[in-house]
Structure formats: structure tokens, C-alpha cells
Amino acid sequence: MSRGDEWIAVAADSVARQVMGRVVVCAGTDLVDVDDIRALLARQPRFADRHFTPGERAYCLLQRDPAERFAVRFAAKEAVLKALGTGLTGVALREIEVVRRHSGQPALALAGRAAALAAAAGVHSWMITLTHSRHLAYAFVAGVGQPS
């Protein structure tokens, strides 16, 4: 097992423990190449403005390597789209925001059509895990239903 495979397995195990005993109504995962995002940011300066909220951009641009943070947030957005079953054209990516709780734990905030689709799917809250290296960014999300 490669080093990258190991950290993906640890992240998946962490989420699996968090969802035990909860009603998961949808789930999605995505893996992004950080170098691809780095190239997009360099080639298309408006890429970040079009796909990330002001809060996400501010957080990412404070980091030593913003591409890693942008990539993992892009992976999270794609994972949400997969969970909702919309595909990449179903929702504007800025309607899905990765926010940080006071503890530093990531969370999701959905707006507009993304929020409406999640509500229609019965999603009451989201669980999210993010991890990245210099080369890969991985996200897993689970839409959790209302407790019965």
C-alpha cells in the first residue's frame, strides 16, 4: 500500500466511525490532483473567483501553498455533487462552501439550488472529511437524514 493509499484509508476509516448509527441518505467522494488545480489557478486567474466563495478564497490564500487548500475544497464540492446525483453542471460550485468550525473541523454550508436538492433528498446535515498531500486532495461527504 502506498503512502497516499494509507492516508486515504485512514480518512475513510475516520468517517466510517462517525457515521455509525446515523441515517446516511447519500454519500460522495472525490480525489483531485493538486498539480491540476495549481495549473488551473495559474492559467485561469478567474477560476478561484468562479468556483469558490470569498471566505474559501480568503482562507486558501493565507496558506503557504493555496493550491492544496483549493484542491481539497474542489474535491469536497465534487463529492457533494456526486452525493446529490447532479453531476458537475447541476449546481454552481459557489453554492457549496467548505467552512471551518471554531475547532478547525471542516463543515459544509449549502445555498441556492444545492441546498434545495439536499433538502429534497432528505439531508438534514452533512459530515465531511478532507485530507491532502502536496500531490493529492481527497474528500468524503455523507448527507445525514433527520433522526427517526
Side-chain angles (χ1 to χ4, degrees):
M1 182 180 288
S2 74
R3 186 173 183 87
D5 292 338
E6 288 176 16
W7 58 260
I8 290 172
V10 168
D13 182 59
S14 170
V15 170
R17 280 187 264 114
Q18 291 177 37
V19 298
M20 298 275 291
R22 298 190 183 190
V23 178
V24 175
V25 295
C26 59
T29 186
D30 197 59
L31 183 67
V32 171
D33 185 306
V34 175
D35 289 334
D36 289 348
I37 297 297
R38 187 175 288 111
L40 267 172
L41 291 166
R43 196 172 56 247
Q44 298 179 19
R46 293 189 48 219
F47 174 79
D49 293 337
R50 284 196 317 268
H51 299 300
F52 298 93
T53 67
E56 288 173 317
R57 291 192 309 271
Y59 172 75
C60 293
L61 292 172
L62 287 175
Q63 308 305 315
R64 186 175 61 101
D65 185 1
E68 292 175 11
R69 299 326 191 279
F70 279 120
V72 80
R73 279 156 181 74
F74 193 82
K77 293 168 185 272
E78 287 193 330
V80 169
L81 295 177
K82 290 174 181 178
L84 295 176
T86 66
L88 286 178
T89 60
V91 170
L93 291 181
R94 288 193 329 191
E95 292 182 350
I96 304 165
E97 182 176 18
V98 177
V99 296
R100 290 172 47 95
R101 294 187 174 122
H102 291 299
S103 66
Q105 180 182 15
L108 290 170
L110 274 59
R113 186 157 189 266
L117 288 169
V123 175
H124 180 269
S125 62
W126 289 91
M127 299 177 70
I128 178 173
T129 188
L130 306 172
T131 190
H132 62 84
S133 69
R134 288 184 355 206
H135 304 290
L136 295 173
Y138 173 78
F140 178 87
V141 301
V144 180
Q146 186 75 10
S148 49

